[in-house]
Amino acid sequence: MCGIIGYTGSENVRDVLLDALELLEYRGYDSAGIAVKDQETKQTAVYKCAGRVSDLRAICGSETTAAGCGIGHTRWATHGGVNDRNAHPHQVGKVTLVHNGIIENYRELIADYDLAGELQSETDSEVVAALLNHFYEGNPKEALKKTVSKLRGTFALVVLFADQGDVIYSTRNVSPIVATLCDEGAMLASDLTALCRFTNRYFVVPEYHILELHSDKLVLSDFDGNIVEPEYLTADWELNSAGKNGYPFYMEKEIMEQPEAIENTIANRIKGGLPDFSADNVPDTLFTDCERITIIACGTAMHAGLVAQALVKSILHMHIDVEMASEFMYSDPVIDEKTLVIAVSQSGETIDTLEAVKYAKRRGAKCLSIINVKGSSIARESDYVLYTNAGPEIAVASTKAYTTQLAVFYLIVAKMAWSRGIFTTEETQSFVRELQRTPEVMKQVLEHRRDIHLVAKRVLAAKDLFMIGRGLDYSILLEGSLKLKEVSYIHSEAYASGELKHGPIALITQDTPVIAAVTQEKLMSKELSNIKEVKSRGADVVVFIKETIAGSLEGEYEVFELPNMQDEFMVMPASVALQLLAYYVSSDKGFDVDKPRNLAKVVTVE
Ligand code: AGP
């Protein structure tokens, strides 16, 4: 978690750092800070506070002298509460440092090196600054190597040494750092979002290497001192695509971008109307040789896996498990060399998913990952990668990443059904054609977003809410419910409608609105009965129903008709509608939609 930026170059460093931190705020936003080297006094000045980057901007004011070198940080608290002292950067002696990750042995380090007297905060990060200062005798690389050899845990460290001019040093283990050299100077960050205002060329700093940033050059070396050539990647994200583009919140912008994002995800993977992963270097044997599938992911990405599970069962009749990555390793999973493990992650940095991939590979499984961020840790750890090409997703609540993950899953299912002889070529082409209709159908939902806004007003006052559906509808609602909770703070639970009578119906009253999804024709009549059951217990029911079956709904309900697709694909329009619902509830309540309390976009601590 935590956002990191480092910059040395010709631009006004304070502005570069603060602008970058605003873009990185989605990684954590309980405190923020910068350290800049003053060009005249050669002193390193630290500005930091609890609160948002806007608060930091206010305390930096215009008094900060423009300078050419500095580092910055947005924090998601792990060790120590949210206050000014615990904010980064931490300064001990000649060392000024920002850190992302967790140092597990910080207590031992304090005792072993007698660091207690040097510490002002409760953070593990300040212990690293103190240890680095302890080892520093004028040689930054030696001090970094000695310090890192004592650390247990995950870390991305970015350091200014008081007597090393405008040079920034960095090293890492697990927690990511990307870097680049461009016309304006050299910069590094915890992720690409902060760099893409300047360039779309970047490289991932390898673990246990040291990066030196000078205003006109980068030096990357391993711990033995050998110079290493950075392996540059090109992001296909447009420069400036990380802006809000006129929308009040990123979440709305990203919901609206979905038709285009789906197009970008599928267009180059369809040849002659058939799924084709040759450009991704994914061999067909990956899909024909496996006997079982295990999907590992967290949160929304895991919900995309649940939709895939329903499709794989009904179309491929194969054994498939969906595992929460955080539980995977501890649940004695049944995986072997015949298991195709599919890891799903927007960021490609979620630590639980990353560790689960490593574990699955140790057990002999082949790992295919579905990732949005190019070159991210999970992508690099996997045997094969299918990128979702959704562009930067900044809002903490995931929207376009989810639907593009689904789009990739539809292609995988089509590919497997075809290559295993379950679908004929014509059936595969027809399935793919339906997928290609998705962007158009999503646009229809987006055009009716005002109607969803009206629906949202009906649940604004709710404290608790239920979402009910059957089959694929249940999977969609799990995601819809997560979306609503995380941005609106309404307690929402998704239930398989048939389970209601086994307990939760006791909670239904006139104060618990129910949102029902009815998109699966073969389950419709049972679902309609369940809707009546909650209605007759006083619940205000909102129904999202496929338009071709809407006529079957009798009674007084708030209804939103979803444009027609084949049942397997109704997930797509229904998901967009539920995302809009969550968005409007949150924005109508006046919340900071993009930065819900306690959350961070990238979860890099277990
Ligand atoms: C999404 O709305 C959530 N904030 C969260 O559940 C997210 O999907 C999860 O943390 C997984 O992230 P990843 O896709 O980057 O691995």
Side-chain angles (χ1 to χ4, degrees):
M1 305 166 119
C2 302
I4 285 181
I5 179 76
Y7 171 72
T8 174
S10 56
E11 303 282 296
N12 178 322
V13 70
R14 185 197 56 200
D15 293 348
V16 171
L17 297 178
L18 291 173
D19 292 349
L21 289 183
E22 245 148 32
L23 290 171
L24 290 171
E25 222 177 4
Y26 70 155
R27 293 182 70 102
Y29 32 88
D30 53 46
S31 0
I34 59 171
V36 288
K37 277 209 169 175
D38 190 290
Q39 295 298 280
E40 283 163 23
T41 64
K42 303 293 172 206
Q43 300 295 309
T44 306
V46 174
Y47 303 82
K48 60 182 186 173
C49 62
R52 297 288 172 92
V53 176
S54 50
D55 301 311
L56 175 66
R57 226 180 242 286
I59 65 161
C60 288
S62 48
E63 286 162 30
T64 320
T65 355
C69 175
I71 59 179
H73 188 269
T74 57
R75 179 169 186 246
W76 189 88
T78 54
H79 294 72
V82 177
N83 56 41
D84 293 356
R85 267 181 303 120
N86 290 338
H88 297 218
H90 293 288
Q91 203 165 40
V92 181
K94 288 188 170 162
V95 168
T96 307
L97 165 147
V98 295
H99 164 230
N100 175 21
I102 286 192
I103 304 302
E104 290 163 13
N105 60 334
Y106 73 105
R107 280 202 189 87
E108 288 117 276
L109 294 172
I110 297 173
D112 293 353
Y113 294 93
D114 199 15
L115 302 174
E118 322 233 12
L119 305 175
Q120 320 221 343
S121 77
E122 305 143 287
T123 65
D124 53 342
S125 311
E126 195 186 18
V127 177
V128 184
L131 188 63
L132 194 50
N133 185 57
H134 170 86
F135 286 129
Y136 184 60
E137 290 172 341
N139 184 334
K141 289 186 178 182
E142 276 311 308
L144 277 166
K145 261 168 45 184
K146 278 188 191 152
T147 302
V148 163
S149 72
K150 307 292 176 201
L151 302 181
R152 218 171 50 232
T154 59
F155 49 85
L157 305 175
V158 178
V159 189
L160 294 174
F161 292 91
D163 52 0
Q164 294 295 328
D166 285 350
V167 187
I168 299 170
Y169 290 84
S170 179
T171 187
R172 75 177 195 97
N173 171 40
V174 183
S175 308
I177 288 283
V178 293
T180 193
L181 182 65
C182 58
D183 293 345
E184 292 82 359
M187 56 188 82
L188 58 74
S190 46
D191 67 74
L192 181 60
T193 318
L195 306 186
C196 60
R197 204 160 58 88
F198 294 93
T199 175
N200 58 359
R201 283 188 76 242
Y202 69 104
F203 64 94
V204 180
V205 177
E207 288 175 338
Y208 294 104
H209 281 60
I210 294 175
L211 177 67
E212 269 174 58
L213 291 191
H214 301 251
S215 59
D216 57 352
K217 66 172 181 190
L218 294 166
V219 184
L220 179 66
S221 54
D222 64 20
F223 272 19
D224 295 325
N226 303 308
I227 299 299
V228 175
E229 226 16 76
E231 289 178 24
Y232 272 91
L233 299 164
T234 305
D236 32 27
W237 297 356
E238 278 174 40
L239 304 185
N240 292 326
S241 58
K244 283 191 201 145
N245 210 7
Y247 289 98
F249 292 103
Y250 282 109
M251 185 176 177
E252 184 178 357
K253 172 190 176 237
E254 289 158 8
I255 290 173
M256 297 301 288
E257 282 173 346
Q258 287 178 106
E260 195 189 338
I262 299 284
E263 194 65 52
N264 292 341
T265 304
I266 63 175
N268 293 329
R269 295 183 171 124
I270 299 172
K271 303 256 157 65
L274 294 164
D276 185 310
F277 297 123
S278 51
D280 301 288
N281 295 319
V282 178
D284 289 0
T285 49
L286 191 71
F287 302 114
T288 47
D289 291 359
C290 62
E291 287 175 3
R292 50 193 295 135
I293 300 173
T294 297
I295 295 175
I296 43 181
C298 297
T300 292
M302 197 262 295
H303 290 154
L306 291 175
V307 172
Q309 182 182 43
L311 297 172
V312 166
K313 284 208 252 178
S314 67
I315 297 173
L316 303 174
H317 312 294
M318 270 181 81
H319 186 102
I320 173 164
D321 295 312
V322 179
E323 305 267 5
M324 285 179 257
S326 54
E327 291 289 317
F328 179 67
M329 286 189 288
Y330 315 107
S331 63
D332 293 323
V334 182
I335 44 168
D336 53 26
E337 55 286 349
K338 288 288 177 195
T339 312
L340 170 60
V341 166
I342 305 182
V344 192
S345 175
Q346 188 286 129
S347 61
E349 299 295 347
T350 302
I351 188 110
D352 288 319
T353 311
L354 177 63
E355 292 304 318
V357 167
K358 290 180 184 166
Y359 177 91
K361 284 180 68 183
R362 286 198 296 274
R363 298 279 290 268
K366 280 270 171 282
C367 183
L368 168 71
S369 59
I370 300 174
I371 304 281
N372 195 37
V373 179
K374 243 187 182 175
S376 52
S377 303
I378 300 172
R380 283 179 288 115
E381 195 62 43
S382 304
D383 297 298
Y384 305 100
V385 188
L386 294 171
Y387 286 109
T388 43
N389 304 332
E393 191 183 68
I394 310 289
V396 166
S398 184
T399 53
K400 62 179 178 171
Y402 171 71
T403 47
T404 53
Q405 287 157 359
L406 293 177
V408 173
F409 272 125
Y410 282 108
L411 288 173
I412 291 176
V413 169
K415 180 83 185 171
M416 290 185 83
W418 182 44
S419 55
R420 288 170 169 248
I422 297 164
F423 278 176
T424 62
T425 300
E426 292 69 34
E427 284 168 338
T428 312
Q429 286 169 329
S430 148
F431 189 86
V432 168
R433 264 199 306 280
E434 190 66 358
L435 176 62
Q436 287 172 306
R437 285 186 58 226
T438 306
E440 250 345 281
V441 172
M442 283 179 160
K443 279 184 198 158
Q444 291 171 36
V445 179
L446 295 171
E447 278 159 16
H448 287 94
R449 58 190 184 282
R450 285 205 172 73
D451 298 333
I452 299 178
H453 199 164
L454 292 177
V455 173
K457 293 196 184 298
R458 279 183 90 128
V459 300
L460 268 186
K463 285 203 167 53
D464 304 284
L465 176 152
F466 278 86
M467 295 202 183
I468 59 169
R470 287 171 175 261
L472 267 178
D473 286 337
Y474 172 52
S475 313
I476 305 167
L477 291 170
L478 283 168
E479 171 55 14
S481 177
L482 172 66
K483 212 90 302 170
L484 188 67
K485 306 189 236 250
E486 70 179 329
V487 298
S488 77
Y489 316 140
I490 293 175
H491 167 236
S492 164
E493 280 196 55
Y495 250 89
S497 306
E499 276 296 294
L500 267 190
K501 286 192 280 290
H502 299 285
I505 201 163
L507 296 171
I508 302 289
T509 67
Q510 58 190 14
D511 298 325
T512 41
V514 172
I515 291 172
V518 193
T519 73
Q520 304 296 299
E521 294 192 22
K522 65 173 192 277
L523 300 171
M524 176 184 72
S525 60
K526 286 200 169 51
E527 180 59 27
L528 294 181
S529 308
N530 298 136
I531 290 174
K532 281 189 189 139
E533 286 159 11
V534 289
K535 178 83 183 166
S536 58
R537 277 152 186 90
D540 184 19
V541 187
V542 176
V543 186
F544 287 86
I545 189 164
K546 178 169 165 171
E547 66 185 358
T548 47
I549 54 175
S552 318
L553 189 65
E554 292 163 0
E556 283 183 23
Y557 301 101
E558 178 76 36
V559 177
F560 183 84
E561 291 187 19
L562 296 162
N564 188 37
M565 294 193 87
Q566 287 168 18
D567 279 10
E568 294 96 322
F569 291 88
M570 283 306 296
V571 171
M572 294 300 219
S575 299
V576 175
L578 291 165
Q579 292 166 355
L580 285 166
L581 177 80
Y583 170 73
Y584 286 124
V585 174
S586 179
S587 58
D588 280 6
K589 285 182 160 207
F591 294 150
D592 185 346
V593 182
D594 291 334
K595 299 187 188 90
R597 68 179 174 222
N598 302 338
L599 295 178
K601 180 77 179 160
V602 188
V603 180
T604 52
V605 293
E606 285 171 281

